[in-house]
Amino acid sequence: MKKIIIFDTTLRDGEQSPGASLDIKAKIEIAKQLARLGVDVIEAGFPIASKGDFSAVHEVASIIKGPSICGLARARKEDIDACNEAVRSAAKPRIHVFLATSKIHMKYKLKKAKEEILRQAGEFVKYARNFCDDVEFSPEDASRSDVDFLCRVVETVIASGAKTVNIPDTVGYSIPMEFGALINTIKTKVPNANKAVLSVHCHNDLGLAVSNSLAAVQNGAEQVECTINGLGERAGNASLEEIVMAIKTRKDLFGRFTSINTKELYKTSRLVSKLTGIVVQPNKAIVGKNAFSHEAGIHQDGILKRRATYEIMKPEDVGFGGTRLVMGKHSGKHAFRDRLKKIGVELSDDDLIKAFERFKDLADKKKEIFDEDLLAIVEDEIISVPETYKISGFEYKSGKNVEPRAVIELTKGNTVKKESSSGDGPVDACYKAIEKITGIKFNLMDYSLKSTTSGRDALGEVSVRVMSSGGIEVSGRGTSTDIVEASAKAYVNAVNKVLFTKTKKTRLEL
Ligand code: KIV
Ligand code: ZN
């Protein structure tokens, strides 16, 4: 069986999901988890886009062992120089150069003729090869490009030294039969096609990213670019977990394998969801909360008689379920560190102390602490946005025929401020009080609440997505056994992110 190379672009295309901006510490945590998951290539960012992106790619390249570390670059000298600087410390660096080849992009965006694009593509692949043996080229908007021209571009970049040629369906326009046929045409018509790995990168605008990628695999694609939870520009990219489990579950059909440790899928999905603030829909294939739940009586009966009647994959194969009771309030720091290690989390000494304090607080309120609770605590600690404002006091009242009211006390450095407010409910009252103190007003675009585990004493986890009056969109998260407190924490987390983001980055348009 041939292997399909899994190229993960969660940290680059995935980070282009609106509101999903990740700081360096979060990127490193995700990269470590991607390495544990067993991806072959991590695309860590677009180094020329901002100082933050450059440093994140550089850090990931220096720290992460195992996968190739890739950075994105336009077909320009400055981009490739920055990309080379950022990835060169990796054991296996890769430079990914892209240039659009569709008529509409060439005419309106690049204002360049076909021959000039052909020359530029070849020239900058050669330039990148001066620094790095592993160069990938993507003809952006390939699926809307003239096929004969696309084949000429592919032939030119391979002759110029590209080791991988990636065919993107940039705007998610293609459908499976058509996209599979395009891959087949490139494989058969381009004379030197067998000298490079053929890859695909599909967007999900019509909900077909996974199907298109799989059709490409059936037609000879050897690498698939994808993201955890299907994150990415607009409607996102092909979801890694769906691609991997389709290839595994239907190996009878694909005759291919990946080197992904599928037992790490669920944990990776959770980590990415927490750190980006983008909640996974419950009915999402493979990693959604309901993906292995059986509601109908007939189904439950079937499952009890023989699991395979209604289950094509085992939940444990994707690391789902079987939450285990692990710790309680008498557990010490060593046991805490050991348990975290077993679930694949290693923290610095400082982060461990902070996480342990949180664990003790939680253990006072909650009898049984599950792995999911530990992950929630840890994921809270690894967000490295400075805590400009911290909730130091909090009270609310609400009930039938009682006007909801909240008092919030926030500490900023040595200053403590307290405000109270009424609202449409206790959460609204808290948010109004926080606004009074910080002077930052948000438009609340999304609010979601879920419990990290089952049971009445489970931690409530609130995610908010907000837009500041200055047009900055951020997410915020908070966890607590009190859901109003979790809501307030999520809001303050978003305030801190806005204050941090203001000083942080401006993103280049692709
Ligand atoms: O969607 C796209 O075309 C891209 C390229 C940069 C590969 O993300
Ligand atoms: Zn893309």
Side-chain angles (χ1 to χ4, degrees):
M1 263 207 283
K2 271 200 189 157
K3 172 172 152 155
I4 297 297
I5 299 165
I6 297 294
F7 176 115
D8 179 277
T9 182
T10 307
L11 299 180
R12 199 277 298 169
D13 214 321
E15 206 213 5
Q16 287 170 220
S17 304
S21 161
L22 294 161
D23 62 29
I24 293 192
K25 211 170 169 193
K27 277 199 167 190
I28 290 167
E29 278 320 306
I30 292 176
K32 281 185 187 163
Q33 181 56 28
L34 290 172
R36 277 192 286 269
L37 180 65
V39 306
D40 300 288
V41 186
I42 294 177
E43 186 164 55
F46 184 20
I48 194 87
S50 70
K51 278 193 186 144
D53 252 27
F54 178 91
S55 315
V57 178
H58 186 262
E59 286 284 291
V60 169
S62 313
I63 293 172
I64 303 300
K65 305 281 168 265
S68 300
I69 306 299
C70 174
L72 184 66
R74 288 168 296 186
R76 303 194 328 182
K77 186 173 175 307
E78 312 82 278
D79 282 42
I80 294 170
D81 290 344
C83 189
N84 171 48
E85 275 308 309
V87 297
R88 60 189 289 184
S89 55
K92 291 184 271 171
R94 176 180 293 193
I95 297 179
H96 179 185
V97 180
F98 75 100
L99 183 63
T101 52
S102 65
K103 204 168 158 190
I104 186 167
H105 278 234
M106 290 190 295
K107 183 168 174 192
Y108 294 103
K109 188 179 86 173
L110 302 174
K111 301 184 177 32
K112 284 186 176 155
K114 278 182 175 173
E115 294 310 313
E116 206 178 338
I117 294 291
L118 207 56
R119 186 199 52 71
Q120 190 180 345
E123 179 184 334
F124 286 99
V125 166
K126 270 194 199 134
Y127 182 68
R129 277 298 307 269
N130 290 329
F131 307 111
C132 188
D133 280 345
D134 189 359
V135 171
E136 170 169 331
F137 179 82
S138 289
E140 192 190 10
D141 206 16
S143 57
R144 292 194 301 168
S145 302
D146 171 76
V147 179
D148 290 335
F149 177 60
L150 179 65
C151 287
R152 282 175 68 206
V153 172
V154 172
E155 185 180 352
T156 303
V157 296
I158 295 175
S160 306
K163 291 282 166 66
T164 300
V165 178
N166 176 49
I167 305 300
D169 181 22
T170 301
V171 289
Y173 179 72
S174 213
I175 63 164
M177 254 175 54
E178 180 190 36
F179 196 63
L182 176 64
I183 298 306
N184 187 267
T185 303
I186 293 171
K187 277 241 151 210
T188 49
K189 289 242 170 89
V190 175
N192 56 0
N194 61 352
K195 301 245 161 38
V197 169
L198 194 56
S199 166
V200 290
H201 173 114
C202 297
H203 278 270
N204 206 29
D205 300 66
L206 294 173
L208 294 170
V210 170
S211 306
N212 284 338
S213 308
L214 294 174
V217 167
Q218 287 184 302
N219 282 279
E222 297 142 303
Q223 171 178 289
V224 176
E225 301 198 355
C226 42
T227 58
I228 301 296
N229 299 338
L231 293 182
E233 190 77 46
R234 305 180 309 280
N237 288 70
S239 134
L240 181 148
E241 55 278 7
E242 293 176 26
I243 298 277
V244 166
M245 289 313 288
I247 291 174
K248 183 177 161 104
T249 309
R250 297 307 310 273
K251 56 178 174 297
D252 57 318
L253 202 75
F254 292 107
R256 298 282 183 270
F257 73 99
T258 71
S259 48
I260 296 297
N261 174 3
T262 61
K263 289 194 161 51
E264 292 287 323
L265 283 172
Y266 184 63
K267 201 199 314 162
T268 315
S269 160
R270 273 188 56 110
L271 180 71
V272 169
S273 167
K274 291 263 183 159
L275 295 182
T276 56
I278 298 182
V279 176
V280 175
Q281 73 193 60
N283 57 327
K284 162 90 175 63
I286 318 294
V287 291
K289 206 168 156 199
N290 298 347
F292 296 96
S293 301
H294 301 275
E295 194 70 25
I298 294 175
H299 290 209
Q300 289 175 353
D301 181 54
I303 286 279
L304 290 175
K305 287 181 174 141
R306 196 176 178 96
R307 197 169 168 165
T309 49
Y310 286 102
E311 241 171 44
I312 58 166
M313 296 166 274
K314 291 200 221 94
E316 54 271 30
D317 285 351
V318 303
F320 187 94
T323 53
R324 264 174 306 146
L325 169 64
V326 286
M327 305 190 77
K329 69 186 207 182
H330 301 297
S331 310
K333 199 169 347 149
H334 287 300
F336 181 68
R337 189 199 291 265
D338 274 4
R339 185 65 217 161
L340 287 181
K341 234 183 175 165
K342 288 215 174 76
I343 58 175
V345 179
E346 280 183 61
L347 295 181
S348 68
D349 287 348
D350 283 354
D351 285 345
L352 186 82
I353 290 169
K354 283 194 261 163
F356 186 65
E357 275 169 22
R358 292 274 314 272
F359 161 71
K360 282 290 181 191
D361 283 350
L362 180 63
D364 278 339
K365 296 182 195 146
K366 190 173 188 292
K367 253 194 345 238
E368 301 167 324
I369 304 224
F370 297 88
D371 285 351
E372 280 79 357
D373 296 319
L374 292 183
L375 284 173
I377 290 172
V378 165
E379 288 156 7
D380 264 2
E381 288 309 330
I382 56 185
I383 297 267
S384 65
V385 175
E387 263 196 296
T388 311
Y389 286 103
K390 215 176 175 156
I391 300 180
S392 44
F394 158 77
E395 240 179 83
Y396 65 91
K397 68 174 172 75
S398 165
K400 206 166 179 224
N401 303 325
V402 177
E403 187 192 31
R405 228 183 150 73
V407 182
I408 296 271
E409 184 187 276
L410 295 184
T411 303
K412 183 182 177 191
N414 296 325
T415 321
V416 181
K417 274 194 183 163
K418 206 177 196 170
E419 284 289 352
S420 71
S421 176
S422 56
D424 286 340
V427 172
D428 186 45
C430 285
Y431 288 2
K432 287 191 169 125
I434 293 168
E435 276 174 11
K436 279 190 189 171
I437 300 175
T438 61
I440 296 180
K441 258 195 171 349
F442 283 142
N443 184 5
L444 185 63
M445 298 161 73
D446 199 13
Y447 171 98
S448 68
L449 164 68
K450 62 176 188 175
S451 69
T452 50
T453 49
S454 54
R456 287 181 179 192
D457 59 356
L459 275 180
E461 182 185 301
V462 171
S463 301
V464 292
R465 273 153 79 79
V466 295
M467 176 81 83
S468 73
S469 50
I472 303 176
E473 186 184 332
V474 293
S475 56
R477 292 177 306 112
T479 47
S480 169
T481 45
D482 179 326
I483 57 174
V484 179
E485 187 181 8
S487 306
K489 278 184 169 177
Y491 208 71
V492 172
N493 180 234
V495 168
N496 288 333
K497 275 196 189 168
V498 164
L499 293 172
F500 183 58
T501 310
K502 273 188 182 160
T503 55
K504 228 183 84 189
K505 73 178 189 186
T506 45
R507 175 168 281 289
L508 273 188
E509 296 240 320
L510 281 188

